[in-house]
Amino acid sequence: MAIKRKKTRVIPGFGLSFGITIAMLSLIVIIPLCSLVVFTAQLSFKEFWETVSRPRVLSSYWVSFSTALVASLINAVMGLILAWVLVRYDFPGKRFMDGLIELPFALPTAVAGISLTHMTVSTGWVGGFFAKFGIPIAYTKAGITIALVFIGIPFVVRSVQPVLEKIDYQYEEAAQILGFSHARTFWKVIFPEIFPALISGFTLAFARCLGEYGSVVFIAGNTPYETEITPLLIMSELQEYDYASATSIALIMLFAAFVILFINAVLQSRASKKIGKIA
Amino acid sequence: MADTVQNYVELHDINKNYGDFQASHQINFGIEKGKLVALLGPSGSGKTTILRMIAGLETPDSGEIKIDGQVVNHIPANKRGIGFVFQSYALFRYMTVYDNIAMGLQIQKVPKQQIKERVTELLDLVSLKGLENRYPNQLSGGQRQRVAFARAIAPNPQLLLLDEPFAAIDAKVRQELRSWLKEMIGKLGITSIFVTHDQDEAMEVADEIILTNRGRIEQIGSPSEIYTYPKTAFTASFFGQNAQLEGYQAFHTFGDVPGADKALIRPEFVKVYKLDEKQQYPESASIGTVEQISFRGDRTELQINVNGLLITAKRNLGESPIAVGEQVKVFLYRIFVLKGEEVILLENEAVNSNYFNI
Ligand SMILES: Nc1ncnc2c1ncn2[C@@H]1O[C@H](COP(=O)(O)OP(=O)(O)O)[C@@H](O)[C@H]1O
Ligand SMILES: [Mg+2]
């Protein structure tokens, strides 16, 4: 009864590979995260709560979340359009453009930060244009958002692209014969197919944007209560050797990341239920 | 002549190239209203291309397509009054069965109540009552096909196009679905064209067969016509379970065709006798050796070697059994002789002379 028969696997060595997986996960993810908790545990809950709910910290959450959210929303739309163009159209330089998508991954974030700042200050060629209308970009939340859009582009494009490639043309033709408008075909036929990928691209970008530091610090100006992001605050606590405070704030960010990924997982499983192989 | 019958669909001199590949070459045919027609041919012969041009999913390079007397070349797919069943059905995965069927009507702004009535009626028709809230992936292949069929006919199209409607279904259900579809289309009286590469399917289901080969039409006719009287070498060799052989003169009492390439022998042309069995035309039989016997349920199939030529014959279960290695008498009623693109039907002269002797 209680005997479980071992299934034979095609690729042997499950035990070994599972062990490696656990070891990697522990080394890279779990142990550092635990140390966060351990460091934070030096504080009482009251102290912890006071640290993470100081007004300056609270406004940094707001700056970080609002810019990350706006940037990821922009990325969701832009990334979708980019992926669409790359999959559905043929044009000269397509492969080059496709390769360019990964640039934000490859570029040191500081380089991105510096060049984006240079571009958007009131003497820069983009910032200069907007300055004429009295709209500053660098050293505002708009600037932070731009940096985050840049950082987040690959996530959405690379999530949506393969799914879009796999969509059979027959669906669109079926829709065409039934008289669907282009908009209806998109929303009723194509969008549901790419929605899970879009959500996962969006959440990955969002999570990444929340933690982004390198490219933002240059363009943000880092004015407390205005353009100070949470990762920067953590850095400054560290520079003051206040490890407990730094890890407390980090723990809040960690919690936020978990919530985001959890919401992602829920949306994914809801979407796959409909088309899951139940029968 | 073409004007004496009102054709519902007509193709005139249709040509279609993909790059420098000729997918359709000078396609001409007409289909009468209410007919169920098969576009039959080997894979890659251009059947789907023709169907897609009629649907408006593809544009011919030249030629005219008429539906109901109207040239439709520049009319978009959704204005042609057609329903289309795709090879892999292309059911919308994120919509329920109900929504899949209702979609075409919703777009035409049919009142909600009326949509509900129509969908219910269709669900009943295709025996899918109670499954309207399922998603396509929760259905079997046969059920999906019936949803695709219901979705295609929901807006009451005048012409139904089906691309390999049975290809994705396992053999057992396929047989049922064939008769089901034929019955259904007959009941609805809707002009229909279906694509298939399966000769049995075409002969069983269609009123008329259009045989394609390398982007051209080889022959058009009723199943019995096209099977019995092939007009081209390709048609003759496409149908039936042919044995092709050279040197047909080895078999007795067939006239000579100068310049013939080879001969085709279908199993039903062959009669096999045991050596001690009585035979009508003893002088024109040949002696052969049975090399292989395969059991086919209602009959057995024999591979017989006659002077080095291998032919297939059938024998009913009621007849006395024959063993492998046994010598038998083989009589051929008729053969097809191929000469270039031509095909010539030769009757065994023994039969003819006998006929005249009576
Ligand atoms: N969109 C296309 N682009 C290029 N070649 C095509 C296209 N569609 C079909 N073909 C070619 O045209 C030929 C006929 O195709 P098709 O009509 O699908 O054949 P069938 O349905 O008889 O198998 C095939 O050789 C196929 O490769
Ligand atoms: Mg085809």
Side-chain angles (χ1 to χ4, degrees), chain B residues 18 21 23 41-50 58 163-164 195 212:
Chain B
Y18 292 115
F21 179 81
S43 184
S45 63
K47 311 177 293 289
T48 300
T49 305
I50 295 173
E58 212 75 71
D163 192 0
E164 304 262 7
V195 161
T212 58

Side-chain angles (χ1 to χ4, degrees), chain B residues 85-98:
Chain B
V85 177
F86 287 86
Q87 188 162 0
S88 45
Y89 313 139
L91 295 176
F92 303 130
R93 300 201 295 163
Y94 289 87
M95 288 183 208
T96 59
V97 168
Y98 183 96

